[in-house]
Amino acid sequence: MHLSEGVLHSSTLLIGAVGAVLGLAIGLKKMTGDKLALTALFSAAFFVASTIHIPVGIGSVHLILNGIAGLFLGWRVFPAFLIALTLQALMFSFGGLAVLGVNLCIMALPAVVVRLCVFPWLKANFCRQRLIVSGILSGVIGVGGAALLASCVLAFDGSNQYHDLISLLLVSHLPVFVVDSLISVGVLLTLAKMLPSAFENAE
């Protein structure tokens, strides 16, 4: 889902940078010492998952796991994902520094939506059925939201030559919906069984 350097106009990059700064400000404000370990864990998971990618046009297809990260971190996904995206840009040339703000918003905003919409429902009852449904919703909203945002950014940028690539980007992420959701379900079921305190730290 990384958009490449040189694709977007400077005005779009500026809007993305402003959105990223606002998200970072909120995320850092909500960061406390007892949340650092969980934040670092999901930052590392996001880094590893999205490093294994397949280039598709002006973007790339890879696991994201942003939904499950957002479920536990909320707005703290902004600083968590910033670290991972910056390292990927510097070490592997994925995305780029100029487009970092846009890529951060694409990955992090759907994760925040998962937190706001799914976590309150899951928190009411950590039963197996809700854990499974929450995992599926995390994958669908996280991946789907990122793909939709990336498509909207390209469409908003006014680059007509990208219309076919937008369709390709959406279609190519269909398998990611399934895999991301399955991994999210597995993570929730495993944590509920082996480390239930993770749900308390997520509150």
Side-chain angles (χ1 to χ4, degrees):
M1 201 73 69
H2 298 77
L3 295 182
S4 305
E5 292 275 24
V7 172
L8 303 175
H9 294 136
S10 57
S11 57
T12 305
L13 296 175
L14 179 60
I15 294 173
V18 171
V21 169
L22 291 176
L24 283 169
I26 299 173
L28 290 174
K29 185 177 181 180
K30 293 181 177 294
M31 187 76 70
T32 55
D34 59 327
K35 310 293 185 184
L36 287 176
L38 192 63
T39 302
L41 174 66
F42 279 105
S43 179
F46 173 82
F47 174 83
V48 173
S50 56
T51 297
I52 306 171
H53 77 298
I54 301 172
V56 175
I58 53 177
S60 58
V61 177
H62 52 78
L63 289 177
I64 305 177
L65 302 182
N66 59 334
I68 189 67
L71 187 70
F72 284 91
L73 300 182
W75 286 96
R76 297 192 303 278
V77 295
F78 271 90
F81 288 1
L82 174 65
I83 296 172
L85 289 172
T86 302
L87 288 176
Q88 288 174 348
L90 293 175
M91 297 171 63
F92 308 114
S93 298
F94 295 167
L97 296 180
V99 76
L100 183 61
V102 174
N103 281 331
L104 179 57
C105 290
I106 288 172
M107 304 289 189
L109 287 176
V112 174
V113 172
V114 172
R115 171 70 177 202
L116 296 177
C117 297
V118 179
F119 188 78
W121 178 76
L122 174 62
K123 182 182 175 182
N125 186 353
F126 292 110
C127 64
R128 182 179 178 84
Q129 291 78 8
R130 291 203 179 203
L131 289 169
I132 293 174
V133 173
S134 297
I136 295 173
L137 290 175
S138 296
V140 171
I141 296 174
V143 176
L148 181 61
L149 275 179
S151 301
C152 289
V153 167
L154 293 173
F156 169 79
D157 199 57
S159 303
N160 294 327
Q161 66 269 29
Y162 295 149
H163 286 173
D164 292 337
L165 293 174
I166 290 174
S167 301
L168 177 62
L169 187 67
L170 293 173
V171 172
S172 61
H173 275 84
L174 291 178
V176 183
F177 277 90
V178 178
V179 179
D180 214 284
S181 296
L182 291 175
I183 293 176
S184 298
V185 170
V187 169
L188 287 177
L189 293 177
T190 301
L191 287 177
K193 183 177 181 179
M194 302 183 65
L195 191 63
S197 60
F199 293 93
E200 298 176 3
N201 291 333
E203 297 180 11

